[in-house]
Amino acid sequence: MIYTVNEAGYYGKFGGAYIPEMLYPNVEELRERYLDIINEPAFQQEFQELLHDYVGRPSPLYFAKRLSDLYNTKIYLKREDLNHTGAHKINNTIGQVLLAKRLGKQKIIAETGAGQHGVATATVCALMGLECIVYMGEIDIARQRPNVERMKMLGAKVVPATSGSRTLKDATNEAMRHWINNPTDTHYIIGSVVGPHPYPDMVARFQSVISAEIKQQLQTKEGRDYPDYVIACVGGGSNAAGAFYHFLDNQKVGLIGAEAGGLGIDSGKSAATLALGKIGILHGSKTVLMQTTDGQVVEPHSISAGLDYPGIGPLHAHLSDTQRGQFYSITDDEAMRAGLLVSRTEGIIPAIETAHAFAILTKKTFQVNDVVVICLSGRGDKDLDTYVNYQY
Ligand SMILES: *Cc1c(COP(=O)(O)O)cnc(C)c1O
C-alpha cells in the first residue's frame, strides 16, 4: 500500500501534522482513536445505515450513452449529485459527526468558504442534535447568502471572520483558535482531505464509499470490478480521493484529476496548485501550495468556489509526484463549456466544480473500449446564476 498514509502520517514526502503546540492534545486524541472507532462494527453499522437511509446511497453508476457516443468511449457517471444535500461532502460529515459522538464531543465547529461544507456540517449536527458553529469570512458571507440562510435554518451559528482578507483562510484561523480554546468538548470537522494527520486519511476513508460502490457496480455492468480510468475534480481533493481510493494500488486504473486553472495558469488568476505550486506547509500539512518566492500563500482564483483553494491534499501531491496520477488544469471557460454540454447531452446540470472533470474529455482521447468513470461530485443548482450570466 504505497499510496496510503504511513504510521507517521505521510504520503511519500507529503502530509504529517505541523500544528501549534496548543493544538497537539486535540489532534493527538484523534490520531490515537480514529482507526479503532471507524473499525468498530457498531460504528460501521450506524454509518452504513445513515449512508443508505439518509444520504440515499448507493448512488447510481449511470452509463452516459450520448456523452459516450460523442467522445467515442464508454463513460459512466458516479452520481454523487443525487446525495442528500446535493454533493459528496455529506459522506464525510456523517462519518465525522459519528466519530465526534464516540469521542464524547457535544459541539462541532467547521470553517467554510462557499458554504457547501458549512451546510453539510450544519445538516449532520441537526440530525444528531449537536451544537454547530461555522466560521465563515465576512466577504464570503456576503457572497454566499443562500448557504448562510440554509445553515441558520438548520440551527447552526454562523460566525464571521473579520480579520485579514475575510475569506476562507481567515475562517480557518478562527476555527483553529476556537478549537485550541475548547479542546475537550469540541470536534473540528474539516471538509476535505487536507489539514494535519489524521484528517486526510480519515476523510479519504469516509469518502472511499464512492470507489467501493463503483467496484460493485462495474462488476455488474461490465463484468470486471475496475475501470480503465477514474476522473474527478480536485479542490482539496476529497471526492477524487474517494473515487480513487480502492483503485490506488491497481496500476491498470488510470487516475486523473482536474484542477481549476481559473483564467489560465499564466494569468495570475488561477487555483492550479500542482501546476503552479511548490512544497510548503498549509493548514497543518506538508503539501504543494501556491506561494510567492518568499513563501506567502497566493490568493487563488477559480470560477467555482469549491475549487478555489491554494493547496491540495497530501495524497494528491504524492500521486502527482510519483506520477501515479495525472493532473490537468482546466480553465474557467473550459469548465463552463463542459458544464453546458453535459446539461444538454445528458439532462444533468453539474456543479461548476464537477464541470472541470468533464472538461478532461476534451483534453485526452480515450479508446473506444475504455471504461471511463467520472465522479459527478455535485449538482449545479447552486451555480445557476453563474451559468446564466456567463459570457461564453
Ligand atoms: C466542495 C466541492 C468540491 C471540491 O472539494 P474536494 O474536496 O476536492 O472534493 C468538488 N465538487 C463539489 C460539488 C463540491 O461541493
Side-chain angles (χ1 to χ4, degrees):
M1 297 293 275
I2 41 177
Y3 300 108
T4 39
V5 82
N6 70 17
E7 275 285 309
Y10 282 84
Y11 302 86
K13 44 183 183 280
F14 306 100
Y18 297 80
I19 48 172
E21 201 165 336
M22 305 270 286
L23 263 185
Y24 188 79
N26 310 41
V27 174
E28 186 59 12
E29 177 185 38
L30 208 53
R31 190 188 67 77
E32 278 177 356
R33 302 210 35 210
Y34 83 110
L35 284 179
D36 286 345
I37 292 176
I38 293 175
N39 291 326
E40 271 169 30
F43 178 93
Q44 276 301 323
Q45 190 181 344
E46 196 175 356
F47 184 44
Q48 297 302 334
E49 247 171 51
L50 284 170
L51 290 180
H52 186 270
D53 297 337
Y54 188 71
V55 177
R57 305 200 71 94
S59 66
L61 184 70
Y62 162 66
F63 176 64
K65 175 151 192 330
R66 286 186 14 99
L67 213 54
S68 297
D69 287 348
L70 196 62
Y71 290 104
N72 214 20
T73 189
K74 285 164 103 173
I75 300 170
Y76 285 91
L77 308 182
K78 183 57 174 161
R79 300 290 309 274
E80 296 300 298
D81 60 318
L82 296 178
N83 292 343
H84 177 47
T85 68
H88 66 289
K89 286 193 172 72
I90 191 93
N91 303 325
N92 168 50
T93 53
I94 292 212
Q96 283 199 50
V97 85
L98 292 180
L99 189 99
K101 280 210 321 186
R102 280 166 173 76
L103 290 171
K105 313 288 180 182
Q106 300 97 43
K107 280 189 202 166
I108 299 293
I109 55 168
E111 89 293 331
T112 195
Q116 299 300 114
H117 173 56
V119 170
T121 302
T123 300
V124 297
C125 288
L127 176 69
M128 294 293 158
L130 295 180
E131 190 181 329
C132 180
I133 301 176
V134 179
Y135 289 93
M136 192 169 183
E138 204 171 35
I139 298 219
D140 290 332
I141 289 181
R143 292 197 280 217
Q144 310 287 345
R145 204 76 233 163
N147 277 339
V148 175
E149 297 306 333
R150 277 185 197 107
M151 287 184 265
K152 287 184 180 162
M153 192 164 169
L154 291 161
K157 190 168 153 206
V158 180
V159 178
T162 54
S163 63
S165 58
R166 295 175 289 153
T167 57
L168 178 61
K169 102 178 132 38
D170 313 290
T172 304
N173 291 340
E174 294 290 330
M176 291 275 184
R177 194 166 308 142
H178 180 115
W179 207 26
I180 288 171
N181 292 328
N182 301 271
T184 49
D185 67 348
T186 302
H187 175 68
Y188 180 14
I189 299 191
I190 293 183
S192 190
V193 285
V194 300
H197 178 66
Y199 278 99
D201 184 51
M202 181 169 73
V203 176
R205 283 169 189 264
F206 291 142
Q207 292 292 359
S208 73
V209 63
I210 299 173
S211 49
E213 289 174 5
I214 293 172
K215 281 185 78 160
Q216 287 193 348
Q217 290 164 321
L218 278 182
Q219 184 65 51
T220 308
K221 289 172 195 287
E222 289 288 333
R224 62 168 155 109
D225 70 352
Y226 63 92
D228 296 293
Y229 295 94
V230 184
I231 303 176
C233 65
V234 179
S238 69
N239 87 91
F244 295 171
Y245 195 87
H246 291 285
F247 306 119
L248 287 168
D249 289 319
N250 182 350
Q251 297 284 345
K252 289 191 281 241
V253 183
L255 309 176
I256 301 178
E259 295 194 290
L263 301 183
I265 53 172
D266 300 321
S267 67
K269 288 190 138 300
S270 174
T273 305
L274 289 172
L276 294 170
K278 298 211 168 31
I279 196 162
I281 309 281
L282 184 68
H283 299 150
S285 172
K286 186 186 279 184
T287 189
V288 174
L289 60 132
M290 302 198 318
Q291 50 188 309
T292 60
T293 44
D294 54 358
Q296 294 294 323
V297 177
V298 171
E299 197 70 32
H301 166 83
S302 166
I303 192 162
S304 73
L307 304 186
D308 204 351
Y309 181 67
I312 188 164
L315 164 64
H316 299 293
H318 181 54
L319 293 177
S320 170
D321 190 48
T322 55
Q323 295 179 26
R324 173 70 186 93
Q326 270 182 289
F327 293 84
Y328 291 79
S329 59
I330 302 297
T331 64
D332 291 352
D333 281 339
E334 290 166 336
M336 295 303 278
R337 275 192 223 108
L340 199 65
L341 180 110
V342 173
S343 304
R344 292 184 183 173
T345 309
E346 293 293 343
I348 297 169
I349 300 174
I352 297 175
E353 289 85 354
T354 316
H356 288 71
F358 282 104
I360 294 287
L361 295 168
T362 65
K363 297 262 158 177
K364 180 176 168 72
T365 308
F366 297 96
Q367 303 297 310
V368 65
N369 285 323
D370 279 346
V371 172
V372 178
V373 173
I374 300 178
C375 186
L376 213 170
S377 58
R379 58 175 173 245
D381 307 41
K382 68 183 177 59
D383 297 320
L384 200 62
D385 286 347
T386 314
Y387 275 126
V388 168
N389 296 325
Y390 196 73
Q391 305 293 319
Y392 292 89

